[in-house]
Amino acid sequence: MTDWLENDLVQRNLITAEKMKEAQAEQEKSGEPLEKVLVQKGYVREEDLARILADRFKLPFIRFSKFLIAREVIEKVTPKIALHFKIVPVKATNQVLTIAMADPQNLQMMDEIRIALRSRYRIEPVVATQSDILSALKRYYGLAAETVEGMLEKEKEKAEQPSPTEQAGDKEIEIDDAEKMAGDASIVKLVNQVILEAWRKRATDIHIEPYRRKLQLRYRVDGILYPSEVPEHIRRFLPAIISRIKIMSNLNIVERRLPQDGRASIRIGKEKMDLRISILPTPYGESIVIRILPTSMLFDLKELGLSDSNRKVLEEMILRPYGIIFVTGPTGAGKSTTLYASLSRINQPERKIITIEDPIEYELEGITQIQVMPQIGLTFAQGLRSMLRHDPDVMMVGEVRDYETAELAVRIALTGHLVFSTLHTNDAASAVTRLLDMGVDPFLIVSSTECIIAQRLVRIICKKCKCEDKREVPPELLREIKEMMPDKSREIKFWVGAGCEECNHSGYHGRTGIHEFFVLSSKTQKLIMAKSSADDIKHAAMEDGMTTLRYDGWMKVLEGVTTVDEILRVTEVTADEENIA
């Protein structure tokens, strides 16, 4: 970029002369283009730079979010050319092909594009931001489109030189072929690109799902699955992709009929990640889910989203010498994170802490962790018995699934040990009836259980695009929220995320917890002894002052942490909550 860019930015009051000098000094040190330095330091928005560039060359500025590009237009430029030059075809009319690019002043690149296209079309450029172009390339050509196209070209070249034993037409890739292809640089690159894209999107899971005529790739970000565009022909490389992932995770590459589970470690930049791989057979090929976990993570009670009163209760409970603390909720509700944070808080040299888990999600230094292995007889119940011989002060049971494990856990809590565990129930009171259904004696429950915590995860509004939500809230919801507010005269404002690049246009960035703390009282203990229903126990707990998941959720809405839609998505109002304000 020349001096005119600096002058334009200062004249339009988009940057001060002082900041421009700072950016120029940084540019001289790093050797990076000035415009890149300006954006990285946050001095100028990428869109402002692109608009100045468009004005300078008297070209239109476009945003891809404003329109859809026809498939026949996209097909006029191959993925290889589009991804190499970072261009997107926008329109094709009257022998004119309109192409979006970030740097139209690069005349040499324009000439190379014309030669590469070998087209009867005349090229007309328009300007778009670099990030917008990269997003459009993934959207219209699919993730790793260039890699897939290169693999197809290799396959075509191989087909033009058939071996004597090869049959005409398409052939299914056999296991031997898939194993050989799994080590091919293109397949390795393709799998790496899928994992790297997941890391960039902050995804916790990658889902690769085969169907009759297509392969679907989805990423779970902040608890929600988002489809990712992939090239149409990626489906034919599924056996090789699966073989590559199996090799990474030391799984049986020949076995395609049975489920398999494995793990692998990868490094992205300076960050090391653990991959948990699960493979299931389906009629159209094997389906894969890859969970991405950082190898080290800081667990802090302050980061769980607990209200001040709930955190105070938890701090008190985890410092008790004995008893059992249950955390309940569905899969993916953050139960393990709460348990890890609690264990980290009390992890001291003078305490012996042992856990038995399935699987071990994070490694905690100073804590002995055991992996359940039912195939060799190491169940939760068997592990618990063995753990007692190691003189523990604190024990964690990953999940109570059956009567044997439940009874052992509560009896151990009665013999001078602090026990943590999880249950799959909808709310805290239902945990009691779940234990009763398993056959645990009511006396054991009331004698051992200190606290039951129900929790859910809700998405946090993106701070970068947060704005006031002007949509009308249904009167019954508004009334429910006002009834729960300590200060009913307070003005109510709702917030929402408009959607931006930072949050992948979802309006959310990250998650936090909402909680329901059920501390047993003499009143609720009597109801448990009488084997009362979960509704009766919950009603009594609320009369004792228990705040529900719904209440905690509305408090986070009023604080501007999350949205009304999120609370409605993860909670439901009960008759007790309607009757008790």
Side-chain angles (χ1 to χ4, degrees), residues 206-226:
I206 304 168
H207 293 247
I208 302 172
E209 303 156 324
Y211 297 98
R212 185 185 291 273
R213 293 184 180 85
K214 70 171 185 175
L215 182 70
Q216 180 169 263
L217 173 66
R218 295 191 288 174
Y219 294 113
R220 189 178 293 280
V221 183
D222 294 333
I224 305 295
L225 277 171
Y226 294 96

PDB file of all heavy atoms in Angstrom, residues 206-226:
ATOM      1  N   ILE A 206     -16.298 -33.061  16.461  1.00  0.00           N
ATOM      2  CA  ILE A 206     -16.397 -33.142  15.001  1.00  0.00           C
ATOM      3  C   ILE A 206     -17.250 -34.363  14.679  1.00  0.00           C
ATOM      4  O   ILE A 206     -16.971 -35.465  15.171  1.00  0.00           O
ATOM      5  CB  ILE A 206     -15.011 -33.301  14.349  1.00  0.00           C
ATOM      6  CG1 ILE A 206     -14.068 -32.176  14.769  1.00  0.00           C
ATOM      7  CG2 ILE A 206     -15.130 -33.357  12.827  1.00  0.00           C
ATOM      8  CD1 ILE A 206     -12.616 -32.426  14.391  1.00  0.00           C
ATOM      9  N   HIS A 207     -18.287 -34.190  13.872  1.00  0.00           N
ATOM     10  CA  HIS A 207     -19.154 -35.295  13.464  1.00  0.00           C
ATOM     11  C   HIS A 207     -18.995 -35.526  11.963  1.00  0.00           C
ATOM     12  O   HIS A 207     -19.287 -34.622  11.161  1.00  0.00           O
ATOM     13  CB  HIS A 207     -20.622 -34.976  13.774  1.00  0.00           C
ATOM     14  CG  HIS A 207     -20.924 -34.894  15.237  1.00  0.00           C
ATOM     15  ND1 HIS A 207     -21.733 -35.799  15.878  1.00  0.00           N
ATOM     16  CD2 HIS A 207     -20.513 -34.016  16.193  1.00  0.00           C
ATOM     17  CE1 HIS A 207     -21.812 -35.483  17.173  1.00  0.00           C
ATOM     18  NE2 HIS A 207     -21.078 -34.402  17.382  1.00  0.00           N
ATOM     19  N   ILE A 208     -18.535 -36.716  11.585  1.00  0.00           N
ATOM     20  CA  ILE A 208     -18.421 -37.095  10.170  1.00  0.00           C
ATOM     21  C   ILE A 208     -19.431 -38.207   9.935  1.00  0.00           C
ATOM     22  O   ILE A 208     -19.284 -39.324  10.451  1.00  0.00           O
ATOM     23  CB  ILE A 208     -16.994 -37.559   9.833  1.00  0.00           C
ATOM     24  CG1 ILE A 208     -15.984 -36.442  10.165  1.00  0.00           C
ATOM     25  CG2 ILE A 208     -16.887 -37.959   8.368  1.00  0.00           C
ATOM     26  CD1 ILE A 208     -14.526 -36.861  10.041  1.00  0.00           C
ATOM     27  N   GLU A 209     -20.482 -37.898   9.149  1.00  0.00           N
ATOM     28  CA  GLU A 209     -21.636 -38.796   9.046  1.00  0.00           C
ATOM     29  C   GLU A 209     -21.930 -39.134   7.583  1.00  0.00           C
ATOM     30  O   GLU A 209     -22.272 -38.252   6.800  1.00  0.00           O
ATOM     31  CB  GLU A 209     -22.863 -38.127   9.678  1.00  0.00           C
ATOM     32  CG  GLU A 209     -22.635 -37.737  11.129  1.00  0.00           C
ATOM     33  CD  GLU A 209     -23.540 -36.607  11.606  1.00  0.00           C
ATOM     34  OE1 GLU A 209     -23.829 -35.690  10.813  1.00  0.00           O
ATOM     35  OE2 GLU A 209     -23.954 -36.654  12.779  1.00  0.00           O
ATOM     36  N   PRO A 210     -21.808 -40.418   7.209  1.00  0.00           N
ATOM     37  CA  PRO A 210     -22.086 -40.806   5.823  1.00  0.00           C
ATOM     38  C   PRO A 210     -23.565 -41.137   5.595  1.00  0.00           C
ATOM     39  O   PRO A 210     -24.214 -41.737   6.455  1.00  0.00           O
ATOM     40  CB  PRO A 210     -21.223 -42.056   5.654  1.00  0.00           C
ATOM     41  CG  PRO A 210     -21.165 -42.658   7.021  1.00  0.00           C
ATOM     42  CD  PRO A 210     -21.251 -41.517   8.006  1.00  0.00           C
ATOM     43  N   TYR A 211     -24.070 -40.723   4.449  1.00  0.00           N
ATOM     44  CA  TYR A 211     -25.421 -41.071   4.023  1.00  0.00           C
ATOM     45  C   TYR A 211     -25.349 -41.664   2.607  1.00  0.00           C
ATOM     46  O   TYR A 211     -24.263 -41.756   2.027  1.00  0.00           O
ATOM     47  CB  TYR A 211     -26.336 -39.859   4.081  1.00  0.00           C
ATOM     48  CG  TYR A 211     -26.483 -39.327   5.492  1.00  0.00           C
ATOM     49  CD1 TYR A 211     -25.728 -38.241   5.924  1.00  0.00           C
ATOM     50  CD2 TYR A 211     -27.333 -39.944   6.405  1.00  0.00           C
ATOM     51  CE1 TYR A 211     -25.832 -37.768   7.227  1.00  0.00           C
ATOM     52  CE2 TYR A 211     -27.450 -39.479   7.715  1.00  0.00           C
ATOM     53  CZ  TYR A 211     -26.699 -38.389   8.119  1.00  0.00           C
ATOM     54  OH  TYR A 211     -26.794 -37.936   9.399  1.00  0.00           O
ATOM     55  N   ARG A 212     -26.482 -42.034   2.053  1.00  0.00           N
ATOM     56  CA  ARG A 212     -26.482 -42.736   0.771  1.00  0.00           C
ATOM     57  C   ARG A 212     -25.714 -41.981  -0.313  1.00  0.00           C
ATOM     58  O   ARG A 212     -24.903 -42.535  -1.026  1.00  0.00           O
ATOM     59  CB  ARG A 212     -27.916 -42.986   0.301  1.00  0.00           C
ATOM     60  CG  ARG A 212     -27.989 -43.831  -0.971  1.00  0.00           C
ATOM     61  CD  ARG A 212     -29.417 -43.954  -1.452  1.00  0.00           C
ATOM     62  NE  ARG A 212     -30.210 -44.773  -0.547  1.00  0.00           N
ATOM     63  CZ  ARG A 212     -30.302 -46.097  -0.612  1.00  0.00           C
ATOM     64  NH1 ARG A 212     -29.621 -46.751  -1.531  1.00  0.00           N
ATOM     65  NH2 ARG A 212     -31.043 -46.763   0.241  1.00  0.00           N
ATOM     66  N   ARG A 213     -25.976 -40.677  -0.433  1.00  0.00           N
ATOM     67  CA  ARG A 213     -25.385 -39.928  -1.539  1.00  0.00           C
ATOM     68  C   ARG A 213     -24.474 -38.779  -1.103  1.00  0.00           C
ATOM     69  O   ARG A 213     -24.034 -38.000  -1.937  1.00  0.00           O
ATOM     70  CB  ARG A 213     -26.498 -39.364  -2.439  1.00  0.00           C
ATOM     71  CG  ARG A 213     -27.273 -40.444  -3.178  1.00  0.00           C
ATOM     72  CD  ARG A 213     -28.296 -39.846  -4.127  1.00  0.00           C
ATOM     73  NE  ARG A 213     -29.012 -40.885  -4.812  1.00  0.00           N
ATOM     74  CZ  ARG A 213     -30.090 -41.506  -4.327  1.00  0.00           C
ATOM     75  NH1 ARG A 213     -30.561 -41.173  -3.138  1.00  0.00           N
ATOM     76  NH2 ARG A 213     -30.684 -42.462  -5.016  1.00  0.00           N
ATOM     77  N   LYS A 214     -24.241 -38.629   0.184  1.00  0.00           N
ATOM     78  CA  LYS A 214     -23.399 -37.513   0.611  1.00  0.00           C
ATOM     79  C   LYS A 214     -22.712 -37.825   1.928  1.00  0.00           C
ATOM     80  O   LYS A 214     -23.065 -38.778   2.646  1.00  0.00           O
ATOM     81  CB  LYS A 214     -24.226 -36.235   0.739  1.00  0.00           C
ATOM     82  CG  LYS A 214     -25.198 -36.236   1.902  1.00  0.00           C
ATOM     83  CD  LYS A 214     -25.815 -34.856   2.087  1.00  0.00           C
ATOM     84  CE  LYS A 214     -26.691 -34.816   3.337  1.00  0.00           C
ATOM     85  NZ  LYS A 214     -27.206 -33.472   3.627  1.00  0.00           N
ATOM     86  N   LEU A 215     -21.736 -37.017   2.226  1.00  0.00           N
ATOM     87  CA  LEU A 215     -21.026 -37.078   3.511  1.00  0.00           C
ATOM     88  C   LEU A 215     -21.266 -35.764   4.229  1.00  0.00           C
ATOM     89  O   LEU A 215     -21.038 -34.692   3.661  1.00  0.00           O
ATOM     90  CB  LEU A 215     -19.531 -37.286   3.279  1.00  0.00           C
ATOM     91  CG  LEU A 215     -18.670 -37.416   4.544  1.00  0.00           C
ATOM     92  CD1 LEU A 215     -18.958 -38.732   5.246  1.00  0.00           C
ATOM     93  CD2 LEU A 215     -17.188 -37.325   4.197  1.00  0.00           C
ATOM     94  N   GLN A 216     -21.783 -35.837   5.454  1.00  0.00           N
ATOM     95  CA  GLN A 216     -22.075 -34.624   6.223  1.00  0.00           C
ATOM     96  C   GLN A 216     -21.000 -34.403   7.279  1.00  0.00           C
ATOM     97  O   GLN A 216     -20.616 -35.322   7.994  1.00  0.00           O
ATOM     98  CB  GLN A 216     -23.440 -34.739   6.896  1.00  0.00           C
ATOM     99  CG  GLN A 216     -23.821 -33.503   7.710  1.00  0.00           C
ATOM    100  CD  GLN A 216     -25.270 -33.517   8.145  1.00  0.00           C
ATOM    101  OE1 GLN A 216     -26.135 -32.926   7.521  1.00  0.00           O
ATOM    102  NE2 GLN A 216     -25.546 -34.200   9.236  1.00  0.00           N
ATOM    103  N   LEU A 217     -20.521 -33.157   7.359  1.00  0.00           N
ATOM    104  CA  LEU A 217     -19.545 -32.770   8.373  1.00  0.00           C
ATOM    105  C   LEU A 217     -20.173 -31.695   9.243  1.00  0.00           C
ATOM    106  O   LEU A 217     -20.659 -30.678   8.729  1.00  0.00           O
ATOM    107  CB  LEU A 217     -18.277 -32.241   7.696  1.00  0.00           C
ATOM    108  CG  LEU A 217     -17.212 -31.636   8.624  1.00  0.00           C
ATOM    109  CD1 LEU A 217     -16.617 -32.701   9.538  1.00  0.00           C
ATOM    110  CD2 LEU A 217     -16.106 -30.972   7.806  1.00  0.00           C
ATOM    111  N   ARG A 218     -20.184 -31.939  10.553  1.00  0.00           N
ATOM    112  CA  ARG A 218     -20.761 -30.951  11.476  1.00  0.00           C
ATOM    113  C   ARG A 218     -19.811 -30.720  12.641  1.00  0.00           C
ATOM    114  O   ARG A 218     -19.108 -31.629  13.084  1.00  0.00           O
ATOM    115  CB  ARG A 218     -22.123 -31.427  12.007  1.00  0.00           C
ATOM    116  CG  ARG A 218     -23.181 -31.543  10.935  1.00  0.00           C
ATOM    117  CD  ARG A 218     -24.566 -31.741  11.511  1.00  0.00           C
ATOM    118  NE  ARG A 218     -24.754 -33.060  12.087  1.00  0.00           N
ATOM    119  CZ  ARG A 218     -25.842 -33.438  12.761  1.00  0.00           C
ATOM    120  NH1 ARG A 218     -26.828 -32.577  12.950  1.00  0.00           N
ATOM    121  NH2 ARG A 218     -25.948 -34.657  13.246  1.00  0.00           N
ATOM    122  N   TYR A 219     -19.816 -29.477  13.132  1.00  0.00           N
ATOM    123  CA  TYR A 219     -19.007 -29.094  14.290  1.00  0.00           C
ATOM    124  C   TYR A 219     -19.939 -28.662  15.422  1.00  0.00           C
ATOM    125  O   TYR A 219     -20.892 -27.911  15.193  1.00  0.00           O
ATOM    126  CB  TYR A 219     -18.079 -27.929  13.940  1.00  0.00           C
ATOM    127  CG  TYR A 219     -17.010 -28.250  12.927  1.00  0.00           C
ATOM    128  CD1 TYR A 219     -17.013 -27.683  11.654  1.00  0.00           C
ATOM    129  CD2 TYR A 219     -15.970 -29.122  13.240  1.00  0.00           C
ATOM    130  CE1 TYR A 219     -16.026 -27.963  10.718  1.00  0.00           C
ATOM    131  CE2 TYR A 219     -14.970 -29.410  12.318  1.00  0.00           C
ATOM    132  CZ  TYR A 219     -15.012 -28.831  11.068  1.00  0.00           C
ATOM    133  OH  TYR A 219     -14.029 -29.123  10.155  1.00  0.00           O
ATOM    134  N   ARG A 220     -19.628 -29.125  16.641  1.00  0.00           N
ATOM    135  CA  ARG A 220     -20.412 -28.673  17.804  1.00  0.00           C
ATOM    136  C   ARG A 220     -19.666 -27.517  18.456  1.00  0.00           C
ATOM    137  O   ARG A 220     -18.563 -27.687  18.974  1.00  0.00           O
ATOM    138  CB  ARG A 220     -20.617 -29.808  18.809  1.00  0.00           C
ATOM    139  CG  ARG A 220     -21.605 -29.429  19.922  1.00  0.00           C
ATOM    140  CD  ARG A 220     -21.838 -30.591  20.881  1.00  0.00           C
ATOM    141  NE  ARG A 220     -22.524 -31.703  20.288  1.00  0.00           N
ATOM    142  CZ  ARG A 220     -23.837 -31.778  20.100  1.00  0.00           C
ATOM    143  NH1 ARG A 220     -24.616 -30.763  20.453  1.00  0.00           N
ATOM    144  NH2 ARG A 220     -24.385 -32.844  19.554  1.00  0.00           N
ATOM    145  N   VAL A 221     -20.291 -26.345  18.410  1.00  0.00           N
ATOM    146  CA  VAL A 221     -19.703 -25.140  18.981  1.00  0.00           C
ATOM    147  C   VAL A 221     -20.659 -24.595  20.037  1.00  0.00           C
ATOM    148  O   VAL A 221     -21.832 -24.368  19.755  1.00  0.00           O
ATOM    149  CB  VAL A 221     -19.457 -24.060  17.896  1.00  0.00           C
ATOM    150  CG1 VAL A 221     -18.782 -22.832  18.504  1.00  0.00           C
ATOM    151  CG2 VAL A 221     -18.604 -24.616  16.761  1.00  0.00           C
ATOM    152  N   ASP A 222     -20.160 -24.418  21.253  1.00  0.00           N
ATOM    153  CA  ASP A 222     -20.990 -23.940  22.370  1.00  0.00           C
ATOM    154  C   ASP A 222     -22.248 -24.793  22.532  1.00  0.00           C
ATOM    155  O   ASP A 222     -23.341 -24.287  22.782  1.00  0.00           O
ATOM    156  CB  ASP A 222     -21.361 -22.467  22.174  1.00  0.00           C
ATOM    157  CG  ASP A 222     -20.162 -21.546  22.250  1.00  0.00           C
ATOM    158  OD1 ASP A 222     -19.188 -21.917  22.921  1.00  0.00           O
ATOM    159  OD2 ASP A 222     -20.183 -20.468  21.630  1.00  0.00           O
ATOM    160  N   GLY A 223     -22.092 -26.106  22.332  1.00  0.00           N
ATOM    161  CA  GLY A 223     -23.194 -27.032  22.570  1.00  0.00           C
ATOM    162  C   GLY A 223     -24.156 -27.211  21.416  1.00  0.00           C
ATOM    163  O   GLY A 223     -25.058 -28.052  21.492  1.00  0.00           O
ATOM    164  N   ILE A 224     -24.005 -26.463  20.331  1.00  0.00           N
ATOM    165  CA  ILE A 224     -24.917 -26.531  19.192  1.00  0.00           C
ATOM    166  C   ILE A 224     -24.169 -27.057  17.969  1.00  0.00           C
ATOM    167  O   ILE A 224     -23.050 -26.642  17.694  1.00  0.00           O
ATOM    168  CB  ILE A 224     -25.516 -25.139  18.868  1.00  0.00           C
ATOM    169  CG1 ILE A 224     -26.200 -24.551  20.104  1.00  0.00           C
ATOM    170  CG2 ILE A 224     -26.488 -25.222  17.699  1.00  0.00           C
ATOM    171  CD1 ILE A 224     -27.413 -25.323  20.584  1.00  0.00           C
ATOM    172  N   LEU A 225     -24.804 -27.972  17.228  1.00  0.00           N
ATOM    173  CA  LEU A 225     -24.191 -28.519  16.018  1.00  0.00           C
ATOM    174  C   LEU A 225     -24.421 -27.592  14.830  1.00  0.00           C
ATOM    175  O   LEU A 225     -25.547 -27.173  14.575  1.00  0.00           O
ATOM    176  CB  LEU A 225     -24.765 -29.899  15.708  1.00  0.00           C
ATOM    177  CG  LEU A 225     -24.156 -31.085  16.463  1.00  0.00           C
ATOM    178  CD1 LEU A 225     -24.978 -32.340  16.218  1.00  0.00           C
ATOM    179  CD2 LEU A 225     -22.714 -31.318  16.059  1.00  0.00           C
ATOM    180  N   TYR A 226     -23.336 -27.290  14.104  1.00  0.00           N
ATOM    181  CA  TYR A 226     -23.417 -26.447  12.909  1.00  0.00           C
ATOM    182  C   TYR A 226     -22.863 -27.228  11.716  1.00  0.00           C
ATOM    183  O   TYR A 226     -21.727 -27.707  11.762  1.00  0.00           O
ATOM    184  CB  TYR A 226     -22.593 -25.165  13.081  1.00  0.00           C
ATOM    185  CG  TYR A 226     -23.126 -24.234  14.142  1.00  0.00           C
ATOM    186  CD1 TYR A 226     -22.604 -24.258  15.439  1.00  0.00           C
ATOM    187  CD2 TYR A 226     -24.134 -23.322  13.854  1.00  0.00           C
ATOM    188  CE1 TYR A 226     -23.089 -23.405  16.428  1.00  0.00           C
ATOM    189  CE2 TYR A 226     -24.625 -22.464  14.836  1.00  0.00           C
ATOM    190  CZ  TYR A 226     -24.093 -22.508  16.112  1.00  0.00           C
ATOM    191  OH  TYR A 226     -24.570 -21.660  17.079  1.00  0.00           O
TER     192      TYR A 226
END
